[in-house]
């Protein structure tokens, strides 16, 4: 993202909100030297939370990438959404990867009847049956948007559309919207296959990867399309969806031409990795593929690979 010096200076001159970023609560590596620090890969420098908020406020499209089960990431997303409610600018659309098109009618009905009710939004769309972490983690994000009169929207493909795309079909409503008719660059496809395999603990059969890449590419495109329908938009999504060398920002470049995009990832620190550049290897690049990275402690969780192995074993039985 490239912002003019004048634009950033004007935004930095705005009154700073009283609320500071929320303190970390995740239990692991809380004393790590990178926790709470914000790194800008392009400038190879740390910046303050207020400077980052100013850059985000100057952008048209802001992507906030998370680790889904880290409560600190959601608290920081909510804080950032609040900072984006600039009085002199249109309220941004706040779109969630976790909400798919099939939930759209329920979402619209709930917000029509209860425009500022974030508490009831999750139950209204059947969140507890979706497989995502508890609505309590995401509710503050929705609250930060709805209390300021911003719209909340679904961003993801429906399960039916995902299944069709996995088989190589493009559902009629999405034809000529997502750019999926254009063949994917072979290098990008291979990189996405590697990402998906690594994300599944290298336990997936190779034959499953092409369909999974088709769906991943379509989801990224659908999220970008949703954002591009609004003058300003925020995306709440997993960090892998906001990387700017592929994923949603690449699609925004063609769907929202001329719009300023800022991709921010909240990343968990790792023991022994005290330099931001050391985290690039996770993304198989020589630099972190985001406009900014906000480091946080790690959430406590069970061994995900062991859990995935049990899931695969159960499917075989």
């Amino acid at each position: 993202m490239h912002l003019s010096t004048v634009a950033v200076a004007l935004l930095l001159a705005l009154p700073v909100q009283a609320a500071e970023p929320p303190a970390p609560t995740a239990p692991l590596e809380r004393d790590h030297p990178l926790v709470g620090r914000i790194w800008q890969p392009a400038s190879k420098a740390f910046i303050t939370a207020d400077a980052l908020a100013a850059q985000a406020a100057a952008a048209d499209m802001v992507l906030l990438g998370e680790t889904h089960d880290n409560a600190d990431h959601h608290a920081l997303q909510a804080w950032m959404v609040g900072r984006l409610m600039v009085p002199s600018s249109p309220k941004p659309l706040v779109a969630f990867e976790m909400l798919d098109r099939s939930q759209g009618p329920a979402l619209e009905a709930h917000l029509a009847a209860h425009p500022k009710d974030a508490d009831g939004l999750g139950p209204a769309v059947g969140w507890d049956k979706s497989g995502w972490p508890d609505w309590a983690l995401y509710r503050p994000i929705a609250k930060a948007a709805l209390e300021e009169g911003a719209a909340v929207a679904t961003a993801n493909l429906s399960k039916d559309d995902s299944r069709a795309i996995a088989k190589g079909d493009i559902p009629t409503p999405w034809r000529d919207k997502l750019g999926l008719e254009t063949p994917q660059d072979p290098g990008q496809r291979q990189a996405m296959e590697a990402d998906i395999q690594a994300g599944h603990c290298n336990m997936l059969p190779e034959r499953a990867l092409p369909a999974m890449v088709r769906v991943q590419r379509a989801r990224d495109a659908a999220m970008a399309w949703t954002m591009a329908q609004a003058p300003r938009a925020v995306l709440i999504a997993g960090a892998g969806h906001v990387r700017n060398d592929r994923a949603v920002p690449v699609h925004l470049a063609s769907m929202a031409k001329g719009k300023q995009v800022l991709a921010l990832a909240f990343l968990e620190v790792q023991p022994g990795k005290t330099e931001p550049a050391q985290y690039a290897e996770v993304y198989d690049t020589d630099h972190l593929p985001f406009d900014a990275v906000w480091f946080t402690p790690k959430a406590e969780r069970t061994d995900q690979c062991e859990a995935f192995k049990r899931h695969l074993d159960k499917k075989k039985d």
Side-chain angles (χ1 to χ4, degrees), residues 232-312:
R232 298 179 70 217
V234 179
L235 178 67
I236 305 298
H241 289 292
V242 312
R243 56 186 296 169
N244 55 24
D245 57 345
R246 47 185 175 270
V248 176
V250 172
H251 296 281
L252 281 173
S254 58
M255 295 181 184
K257 290 181 179 178
K259 297 286 188 178
Q260 301 226 18
V261 178
L262 185 140
L264 165 63
F266 301 99
L267 296 187
E268 294 183 333
V269 295
Q270 298 179 26
K273 292 188 175 182
T274 58
E275 296 295 330
Q278 293 176 285
Y279 291 79
E281 64 187 45
V282 176
Y283 297 94
D284 197 28
T285 62
D286 58 2
H287 66 281
L288 282 161
F290 308 102
D291 295 307
V293 171
W294 194 320
F295 290 102
T296 75
K298 293 179 66 173
E300 195 166 21
R301 59 180 66 91
T302 58
D303 187 318
Q304 293 172 306
C305 289
E306 184 59 34
F308 186 59
K309 184 177 185 300
R310 288 197 299 271
H311 170 72
L312 293 178

Side-chain angles (χ1 to χ4, degrees), residues 41 43 49 64 68 123 150 193 199 209-210 225 250 266 294 307 315:
S43 64
L64 303 177
H68 299 309
E193 287 181 352
L209 294 175
W225 185 86
V250 172
F266 301 99
W294 194 320
K315 288 181 70 175

Side-chain angles (χ1 to χ4, degrees), residues 120-143:
L121 192 156
V125 300
W127 185 279
D128 61 338
K129 299 175 183 176
S130 68
W132 292 104
D134 196 285
W135 174 243
L137 293 177
Y138 290 88
R139 182 178 58 221
I141 306 168
K143 182 178 180 181

Side-chain angles (χ1 to χ4, degrees), residues 21 29 60 75 81 83 85 88 92 122 136 145 150 166 174-175 185 232 238 249 255 268 278:
E29 299 295 327
D60 304 298
V81 168
R83 292 296 299 261
M85 301 301 164
S88 59
W174 290 114
R175 288 177 187 164
D185 175 77
R232 298 179 70 217
M255 295 181 184
E268 294 183 333
Q278 293 176 285

